[in-house]
Every structure is written in C-alpha cells, then in structure tokens.
Amino acid sequence: MMEQKPIEGWKVIDGGQMPEDYLSVIRREQPDVLMLVDAADMGLEPGAIRSLDEEDVATECLMTTHSLPITILLKSLHECCGNVVFVGVQPAQTEFFGALTPEVQAAVEKIYGFLAQGAHAFEDIPSVEEESDEGAPDADAQDNGLR
C-alpha cells in the first residue's frame, strides 16, 4: 500500500520472508523511527493489531516464517535506529503462503491510516499486554478500531 500511495517522511522496504537481508540498507539510512509490521499469531481475532517488543516475541512463542529469529532482527534494528516499533497483525490463517484475508487487509489499511495521521500517531496502537484475562481487547483498543 505504501508503495502505491507513499506517505511523506516514510520509506517502505518490503522485507518479505527475509527482512534481515535489508539490515545493511537500514543501517545506512539510520532512521529516527523504524516500523516493522509482520504477521504475529497472538491468539487474537484475525486482523487485531498490537505493538510488540522483544520480550513479547521471546515469551509468547510467536510463529515466524523468517530465517532469522525476529528477536535477533529486533536487536540489530535497535542498534541502528532511534525508535523501533514492531507491529503485529493477527493473521486469519497461519499456513505458509496463505492468501491475504479481508481482516488482515483492513488491519494494513488502519496501520497506513495511523502513519498518514503523523509520525507518532502509531503510539495509539495497544500493546499485547493490554489484553484482559479473557483475551478481549481493552476499551481503548476498541475505541481506536484496533479490535
């Protein structure tokens, strides 16, 4: 989406299955803010959006299809970027090479909308810890349309 409709102040890199291949490009750019968006099986409703950190990835056993563990990638990104924001989107299906579902497409559009609002609008994305004991999102997340 960002490739077709760029947002001023943001560059997009489609890391695909091997985002670690782009570390040298990111190190050269040294962005103030880097947002990494990836599918994350968090046990939520499809399309749910959450801000994650290294501890979430390490302790929640999030599924990854990448060749390098995401925790190592995040540590490397923290070394060269001012602020690293890792956004997980709950997939509807976890099969390899599954089609993009409407729920996930809607989540991508919401993330795009946050970026279009301004550099720090993404700070409204709730963290995975903001889930209640029943697994339902908190009231703020529902108000933001983040499920």
Side-chain angles (χ1 to χ4, degrees), residues 30-62:
Q30 294 186 344
D32 292 330
V33 178
L34 182 132
M35 179 180 281
L36 175 67
V37 180
D38 200 5
D41 190 359
M42 303 171 283
L44 303 173
E45 290 183 35
I49 302 167
R50 293 292 179 271
S51 174
L52 303 169
D53 59 29
E54 291 171 37
E55 291 79 30
D56 296 326
V57 176
T59 60
E60 297 296 326
C61 302
L62 298 177

Side-chain angles (χ1 to χ4, degrees), residues 1 10 35-36 59 63 65 72 93 141 143:
M1 176 174 280
W10 288 94
M35 179 180 281
L36 175 67
T59 60
M63 184 190 88
T65 59
I72 294 172
Q93 53 195 13
D143 292 343

Side-chain angles (χ1 to χ4, degrees), residues 3-4 15 19-20 46 78 81 92 105 113 123 137-138 144:
E3 292 171 335
Q4 291 81 27
E20 59 275 9
H78 280 290
C81 303
Q105 178 64 38
E123 292 174 355
D138 66 4
N144 289 331

Side-chain angles (χ1 to χ4, degrees), residues 6-23:
I7 297 173
E8 187 176 339
W10 288 94
K11 293 182 183 180
V12 64
I13 297 174
D14 182 353
Q17 296 296 316
M18 297 179 63
E20 59 275 9
D21 287 353
Y22 296 92
L23 275 172

Side-chain angles (χ1 to χ4, degrees), residues 25 40 49 57 85 115-116 127 140-141:
V25 174
I49 302 167
V57 176
V85 180
L115 294 177
S127 69
D140 290 336

